[in-house]
C-alpha cells in the first residue's frame, strides 16, 4: 500500500463519501485512485472554488467530503472560502499540494510557497503540513477536529511525503 | 414578468424540492413568497450557488434540488455550467433569474447586457434540456414538465429589471443561524444527520 493508498483509506475511514477536485501533478495520483474506486464519488470541477462549494453543499446533505487541489488554487479561492464558509460557519476539509516548498524548484510555484501560509493565518484557516507517512493515520482525527472548527481546514501534502519527481 | 411573480409560480410547483438561492434579489423574493426554512440563502460565495446545490443534490439523490441562481452570479463563474453538466445529476434543476442588471447594487447593467444568451451557453456546456421563459403564462404551463423531467435542466427566467432595488428585504436571519436553521430543517425533512451528537 503506497502513500496515496493510505491517504485514500484514511479518508474512507473518516467517513468521506464525496471528493471534488481540480488537478495538480502532486495530487493527481490521489485523485485518480479516488476516481477509480467505488467508495468515494468523484466530482471534477472547472475552478478550485467550486470544490469548496460542492463540499459545503454536501455538508447539508449529511455527506462527508473532501476538496483536493493544488496550492495555486488555494490562493485563488481563499476569498470565496471566506464569504461562503466563514460567513456561514461551514467546515470544508481540503487536501492541497504543498507547492513552493524548499524542495520544489518550479518557478511558477515560488510565490505560493512564500505567501500561502501567511494568507491562511490572516484568514484564520487552520492547517497542517503532512510530511511523515506515520501521520497519515491522523486523518480521521483531523477530520473530526475540522468539523469542530466550523471553517475550511487545509491538509498540505509535501513532496517528501508523496515522493514525487514533479 | 416580474421576479416576485416567477417565485410565486415556482413555489406553487415546488413539491418536495430543497432550494438553494444565490445571494441577491431572487433570494429575497423567494423568502418573501415562501418564508421557507428548507431553503438555503447564500450570503456569499457569489457565483457558486449552483455548485453548492450540486454538492447537496449528490448528497441527497432521492430529493429534488433546485438552485435559484442570479444572472450576476452565473456571469461571475460561468464554468459552473460545465461542472454541473459533467455530473448529469438527475435530481437537480437550475433556474437563472435574468433581469440583465445587478439589481441589488442600484440596477447597474449586467456585463454584456444585451449580447448574452445563457440558455445557449448552457446547451454548449452540455445541458440537454435548457430553455428560456419570458412570460408568466409559459412559466405556469411549462412548470409541470420541468418538475417531471430528469435533471440537469437549465431554465432561464427572463424578468423585468425593477428600479426599486431594495424593495424586498432579505431573510431575517443571517450567516451561522442560517446554517443551523437549514441544517436542522434538512434533518427533520429527510431524516438525515447533518450535525453530530454534540452539535457540530
Amino acid at each position: 500500500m503506497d502513500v496515496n493508498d493510505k491517504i485514500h483509506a484514511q479518508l474512507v475511514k473518516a467517513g468521506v463519501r464525496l471528493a471534488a477536485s481540480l488537478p495538480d501533478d502532486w495530487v493527481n495520483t490521489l485523485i485518480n485512485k479516488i476516481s477509480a474506486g467505488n467508495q468515494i464519488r468523484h466530482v471534477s470541477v472547472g475552478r478550485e472554488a467550486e470544490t469548496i462549494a460542492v463540499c459545503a453543499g454536501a455538508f447539508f446533505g449529511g455527506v462527508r467530503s473532501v476538496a483536493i487541489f493544488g496550492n495555486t488554487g488555494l490562493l485563488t479561492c481563499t476569498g470565496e472560502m471566506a464569504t461562503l464558509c466563514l460567513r456561514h460557519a461551514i467546515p470544508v476539509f481540503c487536501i492541497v499540494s504543498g507547492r513552493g516548498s524548499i524542495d520544489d524548484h518550479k518557478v511558477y510555484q515560488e510565490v505560493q510557497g512564500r505567501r500561502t501560509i501567511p494568507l491562511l493565518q490572516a484568514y484564520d484557516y487552520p492547517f497542517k503540513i503532512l510530511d511523515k507517512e506515520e501521520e497519515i493515520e491522523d486523518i480521521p482525527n483531523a477530520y473530526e477536529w475540522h468539523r469542530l472548527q466550523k471553517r475550511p481546514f487545509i491538509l498540505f501534502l509535501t513532496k517528501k511525503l508523496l515522493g514525487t519527481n514533479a | 414578468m416580474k421576479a416576485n411573480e416567477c417565485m410565486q409560480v415556482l413555489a406553487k410547483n415546488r413539491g418536495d424540492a430543497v432550494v438553494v438561492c444565490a445571494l441577491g434579489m431572487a433570494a429575497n423574493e423567494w423568502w418573501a413568497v415562501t418564508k421557507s426554512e428548507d431553503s438555503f440563502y447564500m450570503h456569499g460565495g457569489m457565483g457558486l450557488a449552483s455548485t453548492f446545490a450540486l454538492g447537496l443534490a449528490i448528497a441527497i439523490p432521492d430529493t429534488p434540488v433546485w438552485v435559484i441562481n442570479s444572472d450576476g452570479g452565473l456571469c461571475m463563474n460561468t464554468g459552473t455550467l460545465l461542472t454541473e453538466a459533467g455530473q448529469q445529476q438527475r435530481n437537480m434543476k437550475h433556474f437563472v433569474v435574468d433581469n440583465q442588471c445587478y439589481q441589488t447594487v442600484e440596477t447597474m447593467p449586467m456585463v454584456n447586457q444585451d449580447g448574452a444568451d445563457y440558455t445557449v451557453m448552457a446547451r454548449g456546456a452540455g445541458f440537454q434540456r435548457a430553455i428560456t421563459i419570458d412570460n408568466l403564462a409559459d412559466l405556469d404551463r411549462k412548470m409541470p414538465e420541468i418538475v417531471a423531467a430528469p435533471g440537469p435542466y437549465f431554465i432561464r427566467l427572463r424578468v423585468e429589471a425593477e428600479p426599486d432595488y431594495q424593495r424586498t428585504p432579505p431573510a431575517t436571519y443571517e450567516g451561522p443561524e442560517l446554517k443551523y436553521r437549514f441544517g436542522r430543517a434538512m434533518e427533520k425533512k429527510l431524516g438525515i444527520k447533518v450535525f453530530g451528537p454534540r452539535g457540530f
Side-chain angles (χ1 to χ4, degrees):
Chain A
M1 185 179 265
D2 71 11
V3 165
N4 285 292
D5 287 322
K6 289 179 179 177
I7 295 170
H8 185 192
Q10 290 299 324
L11 288 172
V12 172
K13 186 178 177 184
V16 170
R17 296 294 178 268
L18 176 63
S21 79
L22 198 137
D24 174 80
D25 42 12
W26 287 17
V27 291
N28 286 349
T29 303
L30 177 61
I31 293 169
N32 287 335
K33 285 181 185 294
I34 288 172
S35 187
N38 58 11
Q39 293 169 295
I40 298 176
R41 175 165 169 177
H42 178 232
V43 176
S44 293
V45 304
R47 189 165 167 266
E48 288 85 356
E50 288 187 81
T51 67
I52 305 300
V54 167
C55 293
F59 172 83
F60 289 101
V63 167
R64 293 185 169 211
S65 61
V66 61
I68 306 172
F69 48 87
N71 201 351
T72 307
L74 180 57
L75 280 183
T76 68
C77 70
T78 50
E80 285 140 317
M81 289 161 77
T83 61
L84 177 59
C85 299
L86 294 186
R87 181 87 279 275
H88 292 289
I90 302 171
V92 172
F93 193 89
C94 306
I95 290 182
V96 176
S97 60
R99 303 302 303 255
S101 50
I102 58 170
D103 51 358
D104 182 14
H105 304 149
K106 296 289 191 299
V107 66
Y108 44 82
Q109 301 290 350
E110 172 261 332
V111 171
Q112 294 86 316
R114 280 190 298 109
R115 301 315 307 165
T116 299
I117 298 298
L119 186 65
L120 298 183
Q121 290 167 332
Y123 276 111
D124 196 16
Y125 295 145
F127 62 91
K128 176 173 174 55
I129 298 171
L130 186 62
D131 65 351
K132 295 184 178 70
E133 194 165 335
E134 59 267 29
E135 292 179 331
I136 293 173
E137 64 187 27
D138 287 339
I139 286 176
N141 267 335
Y143 202 95
E144 289 303 315
W145 186 82
H146 107 282
R147 284 180 63 94
L148 181 58
Q149 300 303 313
K150 305 178 192 70
R151 64 190 62 209
F153 167 82
I154 295 92
L155 183 68
F156 287 108
L157 305 184
T158 65
K159 185 172 185 176
K160 189 169 79 173
L161 174 78
L162 296 168
T164 176
N165 293 320
Chain B
M1 62 182 174
K2 295 188 174 181
N4 185 277
E5 297 169 333
C6 281
M7 295 304 117
Q8 291 183 45
V9 175
L10 264 57
K12 189 174 70 176
N13 290 275
R14 178 185 182 183
D16 290 332
V18 173
V19 177
V20 174
C21 296
L23 174 71
M25 169 273 294
N28 301 356
E29 299 291 3
W30 181 252
W31 168 254
V33 168
T34 66
K35 295 289 189 290
S36 165
E37 299 224 353
D38 54 349
S39 299
F40 191 73
Y41 306 88
M42 290 179 72
H43 276 184
M46 194 171 172
L48 295 173
S50 63
T51 328
F52 179 100
L54 176 64
L56 179 60
I58 290 169
I60 52 170
D62 298 326
T63 302
V65 174
W66 293 3
V67 57
I68 300 177
N69 206 354
S70 62
D71 47 358
L74 179 62
C75 287
M76 194 166 284
N77 208 356
T78 54
T80 55
L81 294 173
L82 298 163
T83 299
E84 190 180 339
Q87 293 303 309
Q88 292 293 308
Q89 192 65 31
R90 292 176 63 85
N91 59 327
M92 185 162 165
K93 307 285 163 60
H94 187 157
F95 298 89
V96 172
V97 181
D98 173 12
N99 62 0
Q100 300 198 344
C101 68
Y102 298 95
Q103 186 161 323
T104 53
V105 285
E106 301 180 332
T107 63
M108 293 292 284
M110 187 59 51
V111 57
N112 196 19
Q113 186 180 47
D114 300 318
D117 185 332
Y118 308 130
T119 304
V120 172
M121 290 166 67
R123 287 198 196 107
F127 282 78
Q128 293 175 349
R129 286 168 290 280
I131 60 172
T132 296
I133 298 175
D134 62 5
N135 67 83
L136 274 179
D138 281 356
L139 181 60
D140 209 34
R141 182 174 54 80
K142 288 287 288 183
M143 275 307 293
E145 183 264 320
I146 291 168
V147 169
Y153 202 139
F154 181 93
I155 308 99
R156 173 189 177 214
L157 303 171
R158 182 67 183 90
V159 304
E160 301 169 26
E162 296 178 70
D164 184 9
Y165 66 95
Q166 291 183 329
R167 182 192 68 256
T168 307
T172 49
Y173 42 86
E174 58 98 52
E177 185 180 3
L178 185 51
K179 165 194 172 181
Y180 289 105
R181 282 182 180 254
F182 180 61
R184 296 299 183 197
M186 294 293 287
E187 289 182 332
K188 186 176 178 183
K189 180 185 180 92
L190 303 175
I192 62 174
K193 280 291 177 194
V194 174
F195 305 107
R198 287 184 287 169
F200 62 86

